[in-house]
Amino acid sequence: MLDQGAPPHHDATATAPSPGLAARLVRRKPVERLVAEGGQGEGGSLRRSLGLWQLTMISIGATLGTGIFVVLGEAVPKAGPAVTLSFVIAGLTALFSALSYAELAGTIPVAGSSYSYAYATMGELVAWICGWCLVLEYGVSVAAVAVGWGEYLNELLDGTIGVTLPAVLSAPPGDGGIFNLPALIVVLLAMTFLLGGARESARANTIMVVVKIAALVLFCAIGVQGFRSGNYEHFMPLGMAGVSAAGATLFFSYIGFDAASTAGEEAKNAQRDLPRAIMLSLIIVTVLYVLVAAVAVGAKPWRNFTDSEASLAQIMTDVTGQSFWGTLLAFCAVVAIASVVLTVLYGQTRVLFAMSRDGLVPKVFSKVHPKTGAPRANTLIVSLFCGVLAAAIPLGQLADATSIGTLFAFALVNVAVVVLRRTRPEMPRTFRVPLSPVLPALGFGFCVWMMGSLSTVTWVVFGVWMAVGLVFYFVYGHRRSRLATPDTSQVRTHQK
């Protein structure tokens, strides 16, 4: 029998009712805890060594690459000379999401990017879905870009020494080869830089970004010599519909500016520099895109852009009558694409680092090497996976899944910035989206619209990927989440 006179015994652990499934799926990670855990990993911490310049170069490095070197040739036939307007429209579309990224990056400066933003505002399940989309975006993107690097490497070899790698060693099975060796090599090179630490990787990336910016400036300087005003007589021959179609294609040339937000735990002054780096990189990339497109169409009639093979290198050769300049641009394209592989691979490892620290993926991804301050095991696993994917699998329409994963993450960021404004209006913000919630709503709408324009095959791939991710979450991540079994002893008080 119970002793009615005895004081009640309170055991919070024993008596607290277990939250239901719905409550566990929407549990949110407090912003203060996200920030307090910044940099902490298994066995060590990430090092804060990146300033505004390095962060901006990371963002440009992940954005400026195959888009301007390849996609331009696909977009011109859709819009004609008005492709310059298409670049502006695509840039404005990216700007809506960039504004939201800038506000959240300054408010929640952590490594997880949109995954962490969703965790703080919309709960664990949405955060997992967002993180899984980022894994798709970054992982497949690295593989796809690595394949493109191999193609440009062959062009460079042909232009310099007259030799190309045989298809057996430069194409995956199904595309006429056995193993795409160049694609694997560029991923392993990027891995080598990343294993040295964030500072060393940033230095290498900065050199490569400077080279490719110089190459595009050189293209404009040479291409303008072949400029013919008559090429602009019928500015919009295919109407506004053509401009919009080209803009949808060119939007994917802007994917990558969010890479800076994955460096939130390695930035010296993240709250100040991350918003600036995101906005500055988007401005620089947009200006370069518009200038290059304007010169390209002025130097080459738009009807001659029959396919993606009408590259900038061909235009330089046509204008000068010398193959040297085309070969030089091919070299710069090799450098440009290599920097994309480096920075996107960096972003992939940092997102997995944040997810691992939260317990949603295995702990091996959050182990930090004490000497380099880099997640070494994480980098090795991700690099080998992406390298084999690029070398052994013909990506085909699987590469389009990069786009849908990115757009989904962008859409969630636009929602997250509005939610955080309502739930935590008192939080200090180093940058604020103007005209909120109007601009975030426009950003969300544009992302949904572009997702709807993607092919059925892409949606099927996306659906299968999401199904696999949900199975993994409920079997592994949901049970091991640190929010389910919090270890508050490891959480340091955040000090500004």
Side-chain angles (χ1 to χ4, degrees):
M1 296 178 63
L2 293 175
D3 184 357
Q4 301 294 330
H9 174 68
H10 295 288
D11 187 343
T13 304
T15 61
S18 177
L21 176 62
R24 295 197 298 271
L25 296 181
V26 298
R27 55 193 173 199
R28 294 180 293 179
K29 189 171 183 179
V31 174
E32 290 77 10
R33 181 171 173 178
L34 277 167
V35 176
E37 291 179 347
Q40 298 182 52
E42 294 288 331
S45 300
L46 301 177
R47 296 176 180 173
R48 294 192 177 275
S49 58
L50 305 178
L52 175 60
W53 172 253
Q54 291 92 341
L55 292 170
T56 304
M57 292 299 102
I58 287 174
S59 188
I60 295 176
T63 308
L64 193 64
T66 51
I68 193 62
F69 286 102
V70 177
V71 177
L72 176 65
E74 300 175 357
V76 172
K78 297 179 180 179
V83 69
T84 52
L85 182 58
S86 299
F87 266 117
V88 173
I89 292 174
L92 288 174
T93 303
L95 176 63
F96 292 134
S97 295
L99 290 170
S100 294
Y101 264 102
E103 176 169 329
L104 291 174
T107 308
I108 314 175
V110 293
S113 185
S114 51
Y115 154 76
S116 296
Y117 308 153
Y119 212 164
T121 56
M122 290 173 278
E124 186 171 283
L125 179 61
V126 176
W128 168 264
I129 292 173
C130 186
W132 196 243
C133 285
L134 292 177
V135 171
L136 177 66
E137 172 193 347
Y138 287 121
V140 177
S141 178
V142 167
V145 171
V147 171
W149 184 85
E151 295 174 357
Y152 272 102
L153 178 63
N154 255 341
E155 291 185 13
L156 177 61
L157 292 174
D158 184 42
T160 53
I161 59 178
V163 175
T164 59
L165 294 173
V168 172
L169 294 178
S170 59
D175 285 353
I178 297 177
F179 197 74
N180 193 332
L181 184 60
L184 176 61
I185 289 175
V186 71
V187 175
L188 294 181
L189 286 174
M191 179 190 75
T192 303
F193 284 116
L194 291 174
L195 290 175
R199 177 183 296 176
E200 290 71 17
S201 303
R203 287 174 179 170
N205 174 66
T206 297
I207 294 172
M208 289 187 282
V209 169
V210 170
V211 168
K212 61 185 176 182
I213 290 178
L216 293 175
V217 172
L218 177 65
F219 168 81
C220 292
I222 293 178
V224 75
Q225 298 176 28
F227 191 92
R228 300 291 182 271
S229 59
N231 290 340
Y232 278 92
E233 285 184 358
H234 303 287
F235 182 70
M236 201 180 295
L238 302 174
M240 195 61 200
V243 174
S244 299
T249 299
L250 293 171
F251 173 79
F252 307 114
S253 301
Y254 290 89
I255 291 174
F257 67 81
D258 57 317
S261 65
T262 65
E265 295 173 24
E266 290 161 287
K268 296 177 183 177
N269 191 337
Q271 290 181 311
R272 182 195 67 188
D273 292 340
L274 284 179
R276 295 180 180 181
I278 291 172
M279 300 309 301
L280 184 59
S281 65
L282 188 61
I283 292 171
I284 292 173
V285 167
T286 302
V287 170
L288 279 173
Y289 281 170
V290 172
L291 285 176
V292 170
V295 171
V297 175
K300 189 182 188 75
W302 72 271
R303 289 184 178 84
N304 293 346
F305 286 80
T306 54
D307 53 39
S308 60
E309 297 302 319
S311 64
L312 303 184
Q314 291 176 332
I315 294 175
M316 291 185 73
T317 300
D318 293 341
V319 170
T320 62
Q322 300 177 6
S323 61
F324 167 78
W325 297 106
T327 302
L328 177 61
L329 199 68
F331 166 75
C332 294
V334 169
V335 174
I337 297 174
S339 73
V340 175
V341 173
L342 174 64
T343 49
V344 173
L345 194 63
Y346 169 85
Q348 173 76 97
T349 59
R350 270 45 179 185
V351 169
L352 284 171
F353 174 87
M355 297 177 72
S356 173
R357 185 172 56 202
D358 292 334
L360 301 185
V361 298
K363 289 184 178 180
V364 66
F365 290 101
S366 57
K367 289 184 178 180
V368 177
H369 193 272
K371 291 184 178 180
T372 63
R376 179 167 289 186
N378 180 344
T379 302
L380 285 169
I381 294 171
V382 172
S383 300
L384 291 176
F385 172 79
C386 292
V388 171
L389 183 67
I393 299 178
L395 296 175
Q397 294 205 17
L398 179 61
D400 291 340
T402 301
S403 301
I404 197 168
T406 304
L407 287 167
F408 191 88
F410 282 11
L412 289 179
V413 167
N414 284 294
V415 174
V417 75
V418 176
V419 171
L420 195 62
R421 284 275 193 101
R422 292 181 177 273
T423 58
R424 299 295 303 275
E426 80 289 351
M427 287 191 66
R429 290 166 169 82
T430 55
F431 178 86
R432 298 178 71 91
V433 179
L435 303 177
S436 180
V438 175
L439 292 188
L442 287 173
F444 177 84
F446 273 107
C447 289
V448 171
W449 170 66
M450 288 192 175
M451 288 176 69
S453 68
L454 296 172
S455 68
T456 302
V457 173
T458 301
W459 275 98
V460 171
V461 172
F462 183 67
V464 171
W465 177 257
M466 284 292 102
V468 172
L470 289 174
V471 169
F472 185 90
Y473 170 72
F474 283 107
V475 171
Y476 183 92
H478 177 67
R479 299 174 182 274
R480 290 172 171 78
S481 169
R482 284 190 61 193
L483 286 189
T485 55
D487 183 5
T488 54
S489 65
Q490 294 184 9
V491 180
R492 300 195 302 263
T493 302
H494 176 57
Q495 301 192 11
K496 298 181 181 179

